[in-house]
Amino acid sequence: MADPMRIRANEAGGVTTVRVLMSHVMEPGTRRDASGNLVPAHYITDVVATHNGREVLKAMWSGAVSQNPFLSFKFKGAAKGDKVVVKWTDNKGESRTDEATIA
C-alpha cells in the first residue's frame, strides 16, 4: 500500500481549493533498467474526489504523469468543516483513499 496522500483543503469566498500530493512510482513502462530490461508499467489511472458524496473531480491519467504527482483543483459549494475524499486507482488494481477536513 502506498503512503498516505497529503491533502489540504481551504475554503475562501465560496470557493474551495484542494491540493493533493500523492506518493506513487508512476512508472510508464517504457524505461529500461541497468540490464536493459523494460521496467513494468505501474501508474495511477483514475483519480476521483468527492465532497459530501458528490463527485467534484474525475481524472484519467497515464504513464506520462511524473512520480509523486501533485494535483490542485477548485470547486464551489463546500463549507469549512466538510470533508473532501480523494481516491486513486492504478493499472495494477491497487488503490488508496484519504480524506481531509476543509479549513
Side-chain angles (χ1 to χ4, degrees):
M1 178 67 61
D3 293 335
M5 289 180 262
R6 295 171 65 189
I7 305 172
R8 306 241 192 231
N10 296 302
E11 188 274 334
V15 177
T16 301
T17 302
V18 180
R19 292 181 300 279
V20 185
L21 182 61
M22 302 171 198
S23 177
H24 199 282
V25 296
M26 299 300 287
E27 187 60 56
T30 57
R31 216 172 45 83
R32 296 191 181 272
D33 63 15
S35 303
N37 300 318
L38 279 177
V39 177
H42 188 198
Y43 54 87
I44 294 172
T45 57
D46 298 292
V47 180
V48 177
T50 58
H51 164 255
N52 291 342
R54 177 178 67 105
E55 198 173 273
V56 293
L57 172 93
K58 185 171 188 172
M60 294 181 288
W61 289 354
S62 69
V65 177
S66 68
Q67 181 178 5
N68 300 325
F70 173 78
L71 173 66
S72 179
F73 62 95
K74 297 179 181 192
F75 69 95
K76 293 182 179 181
K80 293 182 181 187
D82 288 354
K83 300 234 184 253
V84 174
V85 178
V86 179
K87 177 182 180 179
W88 59 253
T89 306
D90 68 21
N91 66 320
K92 292 189 175 185
E94 297 173 11
S95 65
R96 176 84 199 188
T97 303
D98 290 298
E99 67 179 40
T101 303
I102 298 172

